[in-house]
């Protein structure tokens, strides 16, 4: 059977800008080496680079698969030790592009095959990719075409008919609601949350059978002017938001210098000690209330958040088991809430133009979304006794 590919319309426009990149992907995080490349590097014969390769790669004993078999050493500034003075890769310069390991070959591209469709997306942790993803004023659109098979390896998911249909219904519903700009982004997410809560109340088989009917009921609400009335009794939980901000901006250890700079500015106010913001809930609430109207009425903020979430749904939601869509909604929500805190916390200092927004979201993506502990810890912080995971996610959306 002929394979097809599904990708955002901007996917093929991406091109690495190399040493001109303002936040190189060769610094600020662990850089994995797949097993085949690791062994090739260890046995490299080229005298111009063989000693450097042996010196600057290590086994990754905590790796979970062959793609994480090894890792590059980083210098004191967190940069890959295989970079030259111009921040260019000496492996590629000496041995050619084909010598790059799997991680360095594919990034920031993300490819996965679901049944007979290869889905292609980009990662917002790359500044150039982030610009393509976030600055779509009319929203992200997708194109389907005959597949061009990537030369690198990628994951494969086989879905049975009922799971496949359930996956497509859920994903299209989330994207359609998020791209309907009748209401602010929070209300769109709250509507998705109501749909998820209804799914959560159903047995597994009933979810598969009733998802399409539920979408037919919930999707029109995205255009309903009365939608805000459905949530008027919901009140912000400033204590939980303060706990998240304290962990996110004070306790979380990030290797990305760019994130540390953006996070370090957040919630700074003239004549106000930052400790007061993180320790005094009333002070924190006052800060949020002061700058919340600017955030809510800022069209570019709403646009980039929408595009960030749509890209996240397309690239990261892949139904494999019954709970996936419910767990994914919690994952989607906590990312949005943390990113919103970072934006509101900086709104009194940054201009929040396109450059500032791309920088903020890209730094967040690089520091938080490629850290195995960050999101799970954040989800633990919002947990409320007696509430399901979906209810917890819904309540933290209100601000």
């Amino acid at each position: 059977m002929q394979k097809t590919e599904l990708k955002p319309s901007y996917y093929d426009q991406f091109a690495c800008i190399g040493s001109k990149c303002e936040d190189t992907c060769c610094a600020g995080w662990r850089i994995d080496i797949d097993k085949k490349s690791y062994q090739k590097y260890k046995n490299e014969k080229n005298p111009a680079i063989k000693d450097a390769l042996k010196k600057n790669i290590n086994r990754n004993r905590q790796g979970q698969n062959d793609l994480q078999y090894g890792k590059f050493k980083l210098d004191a500034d967190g940069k890959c030790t295989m970079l030259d003075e111009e921040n260019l890769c000496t492996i590629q310069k000496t041995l050619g592009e084909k010598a790059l390991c799997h991680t360095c070959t594919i990034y920031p591209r993300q490819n996965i095959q679901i049944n007979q469709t290869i889905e292609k997306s980009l990662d917002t942790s790359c500044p150039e990719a982030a610009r393509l993803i976030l600055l779509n004023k009319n929203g992200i659109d997708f194109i389907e075409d005959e597949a061009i098979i990537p030369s690198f390896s990628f994951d494969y998911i086989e879905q049975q008919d009922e799971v496949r249909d359930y996956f497509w219904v859920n994903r299209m519903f989330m994207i359609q609601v998020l791209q309907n700009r009748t209401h602010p982004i929070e209300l769109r997410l709250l509507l998705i949350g109501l749909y998820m809560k209804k799914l959560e109340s159903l047995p597994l088989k009933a979810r598969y059978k009733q998802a399409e009917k539920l979408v037919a009921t919930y999707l029109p609400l995205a255009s309903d002017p009365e939608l805000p009335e459905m949530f008027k009794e919901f009140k912000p939980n400033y204590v939980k938001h303060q706990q998240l901000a304290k962990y996110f901006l004070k306790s979380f250890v990030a290797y990305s210098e760019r994130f540390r700079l953006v996070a370090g500015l957040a919630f700074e106010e003239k004549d106000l000690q930052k400790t007061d913001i993180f320790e005094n809930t009333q002070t924190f609430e006052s800060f949020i209330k002061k700058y919340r109207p600017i955030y809510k009425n800022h069209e570019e903020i709403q646009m980039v958040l929408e595009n960030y979430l749509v890209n996240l749904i397309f690239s990261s939601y892949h139904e494999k088991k019954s709970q996936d869509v419910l767990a994914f909604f919690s994952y989607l929500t906590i990312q949005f809430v943390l990113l919103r805190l970072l934006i509101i916390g900086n709104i009194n200092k940054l201009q929040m133009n396109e450059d500032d927004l791309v920088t903020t979201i890209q730094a967040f993506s690089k520091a938080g979304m490629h850290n195995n502990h960050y999101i799970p810890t954040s989800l633990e912080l919002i947990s409320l006794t007696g509430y399901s995971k979906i209810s917890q996610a819904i309540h933290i959306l209100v601000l």
Side-chain angles (χ1 to χ4, degrees), residues 149-194:
I149 309 299
S151 58
F152 46 82
S153 61
F154 48 89
D155 289 338
Y156 171 73
I157 298 174
E158 184 175 357
Q159 296 172 335
Q160 300 302 316
D161 289 349
E162 62 178 4
V163 177
R164 181 198 61 208
D165 294 344
Y166 181 66
F167 161 69
W168 274 98
V169 166
N170 288 332
R171 183 162 72 170
M172 290 307 301
F173 171 71
M174 289 189 283
I175 290 175
Q176 285 177 304
V177 170
L178 284 171
Q179 291 188 325
N180 186 324
R181 297 178 178 178
T182 303
H183 299 290
I185 198 78
E186 280 84 359
L187 283 175
R188 297 177 233 173
L189 283 166
L190 283 166
L191 177 57
I192 294 171
L194 289 186

Side-chain angles (χ1 to χ4, degrees), residues 299-312:
E299 290 185 4
E300 286 189 331
I301 291 177
Q302 295 282 313
M303 174 191 74
V304 296
L305 286 174
E306 172 196 309
N307 290 334
Y308 177 80
L309 294 172
V310 169
N311 181 71
L312 187 64

Side-chain angles (χ1 to χ4, degrees), residues 312-353:
L312 187 64
I313 290 167
F314 180 71
S315 63
S316 301
Y317 168 53
H318 306 117
E319 191 72 33
K320 302 176 190 175
K321 55 185 178 181
S322 63
Q323 291 295 324
D324 265 13
V325 72
L326 304 181
F328 178 78
F329 178 70
S330 295
Y331 172 76
L332 184 78
T333 298
I334 199 64
Q335 287 207 42
F336 168 77
V337 170
L338 292 169
L339 194 46
R340 179 176 62 185
L341 284 170
L342 188 59
I343 290 172
I344 293 178
N346 277 291
I347 214 164
N348 62 330
K349 290 174 293 300
L350 302 178
Q351 296 179 37
M352 288 300 163
N353 53 27

Side-chain angles (χ1 to χ4, degrees), residues 269-282:
E269 183 82 305
K270 188 177 180 181
D271 301 324
L272 181 67
Q273 293 293 321
K274 187 177 284 194
T275 52
D276 292 338
I277 286 282
F278 293 126
E279 302 301 333
N280 187 307
T281 303
Q282 190 172 6

